[in-house]
């Protein structure tokens, strides 16, 4: 649609506005205020606020693709560990909490909004494809025991998404560690083939937090893709949906 | 607070208004319109719309307690099967779809709203307590193999909640069956002690749908409790959070 630099600036403004205002109360003016564009110039590039936010989801998916590409040299077991970390990063990552809350608000509007629903389905396709590829590659390499990659991917994505959403909405950080440990116990212990193991520095059951390189791309992966939270910062990713860190309560906001 | 009959009437009006308007756009007038009370009389009983909705959550938790009590005579294995059905009912249950969407909208406001957050935590306590009790009773009865009930409950609740939310927001019904089957494969097959099995009529991996008696109470269980969707109808329950059935797309609603 638009010059890539202009788009990147609008995407950055959108990210910042979502962090500050959440989704429900977001206005196009809030976004314009965080760029050097006027509100009317935003609507030169986008037909509507909805159109802009749909492109923002697309932008996150592109970032997620880039993150995934960076992991392609790792073994399937290592990639699986990175994938877990993408979702279940530690609650100390509070800097992006408000963004994740906003993304969850947006997701809940998808039943009413076809443009969002279509984008989120695309993200779901992307996310499942990545995890299924990891599982299939692991089967082919003999690292994983026989299983149905499609069903296993659905279970893992649902469990990680549910854990993030519950942690995010009610601020119960324990969901992250409990689901991490229970997944290792019930799924990964059986999934790993005889002789295979997670690398010591990436064991999902013990790693309290992902490494800086990957932590960003992940949670937004929840709704099927994710990218960098800060669109210009290659060392800091963000999310296309509801995950989040919760130790701190988000700012109270009266919406009644 | 209030005369039980008056409260029940307000709760029913709230349920109907949520079904019709969703949460984000709900007004106190919408609720009053579905009772024989005026809006000002609502505010005689409740300090605010938020206060009323917090009591609505409480009402759902009470209904969920009643549902749980009805299952207490079953064996732990049977109760576990019922619990699964409460969450992963079939997509054909579309009559309550709009209500589940509204509950999910409400949940996403919890990071901004302490009253909702506290209620949803209470619901989370309730839900986890029910599942942990089932798991502990099954351990004591020798029906389940050795495991950590707290972690296992967290995983199952997160997975079922995540499956419902993804099915609800993007309309992908396959999440329900895939997560049901994958849970049976990865968790229940190992959980069942030597010689124990799900009753044939309640095998979670094959049951496409729960029986009428229980299907209602369940999904809202997601956020920790749930009750009857239709407050007066003992044969039709509802939910305190985001689960839902999706075959049909909800009505498109332009909120831009």
């Amino acid at each position: 649609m638009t010059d890539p630099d202009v788009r990147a600036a609008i995407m950055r403004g959108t990210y910042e506005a979502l962090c500050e205002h959440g989704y429900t109360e977001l206005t196009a003016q809030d976004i314009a205020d965080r760029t050097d564009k006027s509100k009317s110039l935003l609507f030169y590039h986008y037909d509507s606020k909805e159109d802009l936010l749909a492109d923002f989801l697309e932008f996150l998916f592109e970032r997620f693709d880039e993150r995934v590409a960076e992991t392609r040299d790792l073994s399937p077991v290592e990639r699986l560990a990175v994938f877990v970390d993408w979702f279940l990063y530690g609650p100390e990552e509070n800097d992006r909490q408000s963004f994740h809350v906003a993304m969850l608000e947006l997701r809940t509007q998808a039943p009413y909004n076809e443009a969002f629903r279509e984008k989120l389905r695309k993200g779901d396709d992307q996310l499942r494809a990545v995890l299924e590829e990891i599982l299939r590659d692991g089967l082919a390499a003999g690292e994983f025991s026989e299983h149905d990659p499609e069903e296993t991917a659905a279970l893992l994505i649902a469990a990680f998404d549910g854990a993030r959403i519950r942690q995010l909405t009610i601020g119960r950080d324990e969901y992250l560690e409990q689901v991490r440990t229970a997944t290792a116990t019930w799924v990964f212990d059986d999934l790993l083939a005889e002789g295979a193991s997670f690398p010591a520095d990436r064991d999902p059951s013990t790693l309290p937090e992902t490494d800086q390189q990957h932590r960003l791309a992940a949670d937004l992966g929840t709704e099927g893709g994710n990218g960098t939270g800060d669109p210009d910062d290659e060392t800091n990713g963000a999310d296309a949906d509801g995950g989040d860190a919760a130790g701190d309560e988000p700012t109270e906001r009266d919406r009644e």
Side-chain angles (χ1 to χ4, degrees), chain A:
Chain A
M1 44 138 292
T2 292
D3 177 278
D5 291 343
V6 173
R7 183 183 182 227
I10 295 173
M11 296 295 103
R12 168 182 279 279
T14 304
Y15 171 76
E16 292 173 359
L18 283 167
C19 287
E20 183 154 347
H21 297 279
Y23 168 75
T24 306
E25 299 188 343
L26 183 74
T27 66
Q29 189 61 54
D30 294 329
I31 297 171
D33 288 346
R34 283 157 188 84
T35 68
D36 58 358
K37 326 273 179 249
S38 68
K39 181 175 152 187
S40 58
L41 196 68
L42 284 187
F43 289 122
Y44 170 79
H45 295 292
Y46 294 99
D47 290 338
S48 63
K49 190 181 76 172
E50 173 192 285
D51 184 35
L52 192 162
L53 284 163
D55 191 47
F56 182 71
L57 293 176
E58 191 67 37
F59 185 81
L60 295 178
F61 301 157
E62 293 164 14
R63 300 289 81 70
F64 185 63
D65 269 340
E66 293 169 9
R67 297 285 164 194
V68 169
E70 290 172 12
T71 68
R72 285 255 153 71
D73 291 340
L74 299 175
S75 72
V77 165
E78 288 172 320
R79 293 183 71 197
L80 180 59
V82 169
F83 190 92
V84 175
D85 286 343
W86 277 345
F87 277 86
L88 301 180
Y89 53 78
E92 57 274 22
E93 307 252 351
N94 277 312
D95 50 327
R96 295 199 315 283
Q97 161 118 349
S98 56
F99 178 65
H100 301 164
V101 173
M103 286 293 98
L104 184 56
E105 290 180 83
L106 187 154
R107 287 175 72 189
T108 65
Q109 295 310 299
Y112 307 117
N113 185 310
E114 189 177 350
F116 290 170
R117 201 160 61 241
E118 276 183 16
K119 285 293 179 197
L120 292 173
R121 281 178 179 163
K122 180 176 173 180
D124 185 61
D125 289 338
Q126 178 189 41
L127 189 65
R128 293 181 65 135
V130 168
L131 184 51
E132 288 173 22
E133 179 189 282
I134 293 170
L135 294 171
R136 289 203 173 89
D137 288 352
L139 278 171
E143 292 185 355
F144 296 150
S145 58
E146 226 19 79
H147 69 280
D148 182 318
E150 202 176 340
E151 285 177 1
T152 303
L155 173 62
L156 293 176
I157 290 169
F160 297 163
D161 194 15
R164 297 286 346 170
I165 289 171
R166 296 182 81 80
Q167 184 259 353
L168 177 69
T169 53
I170 59 177
R172 290 212 155 142
D173 297 345
E174 60 264 39
Y175 266 106
L176 303 181
E177 273 312 297
Q178 287 176 338
V179 168
R180 182 186 278 274
T181 310
T183 304
T185 301
W186 288 109
V187 182
F188 296 148
D189 282 358
D190 287 343
L191 179 67
L192 290 177
E194 201 80 28
S197 63
F198 284 108
D201 63 341
R202 282 219 175 87
D203 183 341
S205 67
T206 59
L207 245 202
E209 188 185 4
T210 176
D211 55 317
Q212 179 65 20
Q213 186 184 3
H214 295 109
R215 60 178 134 185
L216 3 139
D219 39 342
L220 64 128
T222 303
E223 196 60 319
N226 128 28
T228 68
D230 181 341
D232 290 348
D233 182 353
E234 282 304 309
T235 69
N236 183 21
D239 316 25
D241 64 51
D244 171 41
D248 297 0
E249 296 302 330
T251 308
E252 200 72 22
R253 182 165 58 169
D254 183 11
R255 302 186 164 205
E256 290 303 304

